Each structure stands twice: as C-alpha cells, then as structure tokens.
Amino acid sequence: MVERPHKPSSLPNTAAAAKSAGPQPTVDISDDNSRITARLPSGESLTVLLYGATVVSWKNADGTDNLWVSEKAALDGSKPVRGGIPVVFPVFGPPPSNHATSSLPQHGFARNSRWEYLGKSTSEASAEPEASTTGTTADSSVKLDFGLSSSNLSPEARAAWPYDFGVVYSVTLGPNSLQTAVNVRNVGDKAWDFQVLFHTYLAIKDISKTHLTGLLGVTYTDKVLNASTATESNSKLAITGETDRVYKAIPQSTTTVIVDDKPRFDVIRDNLPDTVVWNPWKEKAAAMGDFSPDDAYKQMICVEAGAVADWTKLEAGDTWEGGVTCKSLL
C-alpha cells in the first residue's frame, strides 16, 4: 500500500450534535441551484459551482480571496471557468490521437459537466475548556462532497469515453486552508486509464515579486519550448515570461509560493506526483477572449497538482484517490 502522509482524515457528520455545539458552518444553495456556498464561524468562506464542481472563491476570514477568477469568466455553465479551481479528468491537455480519450475535449469532461451535490460533513474544534467560554465548541472545518458518474454525463461525453466510472470530489474548508480531493472508482468490467489535475489559479499581488520553492532538481517538460525536457536549476523559481511546465515525479510534497520574500501559499500534494506551473504572460493573456483584464497575468499564478505525466490504470472494481491542500499563509 502506498504510504500517504498527507492523506485527508475523514470528518464525522456532526449534525446530530449540533444542539450541544457552538456556532456551526453554514451551507447555502443558490436560488437557481447553480452554486454552493459554505462559511465557517471564524469567517472563512468557499463557493463551488455545480457546473464543473469548480471552486470559484476561497476567502480568508478578512475577506481576502485566495483564488483568481477572470472578470470575463463564464459562470453560467456555458463553458469551463477561467480561474478558480477547474477539475481536469480523465485527460490533461489535448487528448493524444492514439488513446481512448482521443475524442474528448481538452482537459476532459469533468470541468464542463454538471456535478451532483452530495452533502456536507463537519469537524469540531478542540473541546478543551479553554477553547470556549461557553462550554461549547465551534466546528472548525466543513467538507462538501460532489459526485459525477458515467450515468450523468452528457450523451456526447458518454459516447466519446464509454467507460463506467464514479468520482466523488471533496472540498474541505478549514482555517486558512482548502483541501480538494478526488476518489475515482472503476465500476465497470473493463480496465481504463486516466489523468487528473486540480487547475488551481492562485491570486497574488505581483508576479514580478513572486517565486516558487520546492522544485529544485525536478525534471520538467517545457511546453513553451516545444515540449523540451530540462531539470530545474533554481531553488527559487521566478516567472519572467510565458510559463507552461509540467514538473514530474516531485520528491518533495510541498511547493511554496513566495511573494515579496514572504511565504504566501503552501501547495501540499497527496498521491499526486506532478505539478504544472502556468502563467500566460502578456501576449497570450491578451489573445484569450475570457482572460480579463489583459494585464491580470500579473496577479495570478497557476500551481496545479496532478497525476498527468503518465497514465494511471484502474482495473475493474478498483479505486484511486489523491488530492491537494492549499494553505494561505497571510
């Protein structure tokens, strides 16, 4: 069994104990049934579109949003969202022509399918007497579960990838942290393989004052330079132009985003060996119709944990899971 030091712990459903507990997280479904919003008593919040199960907001208690979303992002389900955290499955990038995913759109169907909201669970903070002056405890995190399966795919997606699967996507909001994880099941009688990635757009103040640590010595494919292969030689990676790199089999679990010489985010992978680092820079940003404003590339960086350098094979009846925890270090 693979050792997973960052495997998420399960959250017990505390609904039955709500009467004896302190302030509880609130979970609201929008009037048009398009999005779910969760808030912690401490002030952190999270919003997830059912279209793509896309996280479009993750705010700290002070209201600072840790995610970047384009001003022209489509939030009505007409196309994948430019920003937030789109879910990439079962293929990353343009599908290869000689593969079972070849008829799928770029990045697969998860980010442009409507997911089902499966419910919430919560975990309590410490019950030590000093933790509360009232003798009750507040819930310190809330987990939202979303489901997608072959039975609720569009006819087009089902025809393009006719395999039987089930995915449960869990999004957990905690104090200064956001955890996203998928459980992928092969519920059919044939083996199939897949790729998965969390396409996370992190909000930053200034790309010129930003660098990444945790990638030194890692081999990567540089998509900007004709998919050439190189080894990262910088202990502090600066972004100085269009960047689109797939870092493979990273031995260190954490990549840190540093802004103004201060740690801003920790991105901690669980059973995800790879990370994509992406920024479109000036020319490409201006050429993208849903990227706005044009100079917003200065306020975002994508640090995308995934399993995309190779394929993961899932035999009939088997299950695979992996995820990532982002910590806001403000």
Side-chain angles (χ1 to χ4, degrees):
M1 180 177 293
V2 176
E3 186 67 25
R4 295 172 56 197
H6 301 293
K7 180 178 180 179
S9 57
S10 60
L11 298 182
N13 193 320
T14 58
K19 291 183 178 180
S20 62
Q24 301 295 302
T26 60
V27 177
D28 299 311
I29 303 175
S30 64
D31 291 341
D32 61 358
N33 198 33
S34 67
R35 65 185 63 200
I36 311 293
T37 299
R39 294 179 179 85
L40 297 182
S42 51
E44 292 89 347
S45 67
L46 167 76
T47 300
V48 185
L49 295 183
L50 289 178
Y51 180 76
T54 308
V55 180
V56 293
S57 178
W58 163 37
K59 292 182 179 180
N60 293 333
D62 65 0
T64 300
D65 206 321
N66 296 298
L67 300 178
W68 178 86
V69 177
S70 169
E71 292 180 0
K72 291 184 178 178
L75 304 179
D76 59 357
S78 60
K79 62 182 295 187
V81 177
R82 175 67 64 191
I85 310 179
V87 180
V88 172
F89 175 87
V91 61
F92 169 69
S97 59
N98 59 346
H99 192 264
T101 59
S102 61
S103 296
L104 291 175
Q106 175 165 298
H107 295 330
F109 50 70
R111 66 179 186 152
N112 53 14
S113 294
R114 182 178 172 88
W115 293 60
E116 179 184 1
Y117 174 52
L118 303 178
K120 73 166 185 176
S121 54
T122 57
S123 71
E124 287 187 354
S126 170
E128 295 296 324
E130 63 269 23
S132 172
T133 59
T134 63
T136 60
T137 58
D139 281 351
S140 62
S141 61
V142 58
K143 178 165 73 75
L144 308 178
D145 289 331
F146 303 87
L148 183 68
S149 67
S150 43
S151 62
N152 57 8
L153 285 185
S154 69
E156 295 78 12
R158 180 67 173 152
W161 201 70
Y163 296 99
D164 294 320
F165 74 95
V167 177
V168 174
Y169 178 40
S170 299
V171 182
T172 303
L173 174 67
N176 301 312
S177 73
L178 179 70
Q179 183 184 87
T180 54
V182 289
N183 179 292
V184 183
R185 293 168 289 130
N186 182 343
V187 298
D189 56 8
K190 297 179 181 178
W192 40 264
D193 51 18
F194 68 94
Q195 296 172 325
V196 66
L197 174 134
F198 300 97
H199 201 310
T200 307
Y201 291 74
L202 297 173
I204 56 172
K205 289 184 178 180
D206 188 346
I207 192 66
S208 70
K209 298 179 181 179
T210 299
H211 59 265
L212 307 180
T213 64
L215 298 172
L216 178 64
V218 178
T219 299
Y220 65 89
T221 298
D222 194 330
K223 293 188 175 184
V224 175
L225 297 177
N226 300 314
S228 58
T229 300
T231 300
E232 185 55 65
S233 59
N234 297 296
S235 60
K236 295 182 177 181
L237 173 63
I239 309 299
T240 58
E242 182 184 351
T243 303
D244 191 355
R245 298 178 177 182
V246 182
Y247 287 85
K248 309 173 184 179
I250 306 170
Q252 183 172 320
S253 62
T254 302
T255 300
T256 299
V257 180
I258 297 176
V259 182
D260 279 332
D261 295 322
K262 298 178 181 179
R264 177 64 181 89
F265 297 102
D266 277 343
V267 180
I268 306 167
R269 297 171 293 104
D270 170 41
N271 203 30
L272 296 173
D274 313 315
T275 294
V276 176
V277 178
W278 183 77
N279 185 291
W281 214 248
K282 183 177 180 179
E283 291 79 12
K284 190 165 186 177
M288 299 166 67
D290 60 352
F291 194 101
S292 178
D294 287 350
D295 64 353
Y297 69 91
K298 298 176 182 178
Q299 281 80 51
M300 54 76 62
I301 186 170
C302 286
V303 182
E304 313 164 24
V308 297
D310 294 304
W311 295 90
T312 299
K313 187 173 185 179
L314 206 56
E315 299 289 346
D318 281 356
T319 298
W320 177 95
E321 59 182 4
V324 59
T325 298
C326 291
K327 292 185 177 181
S328 175
L329 306 176
L330 281 179

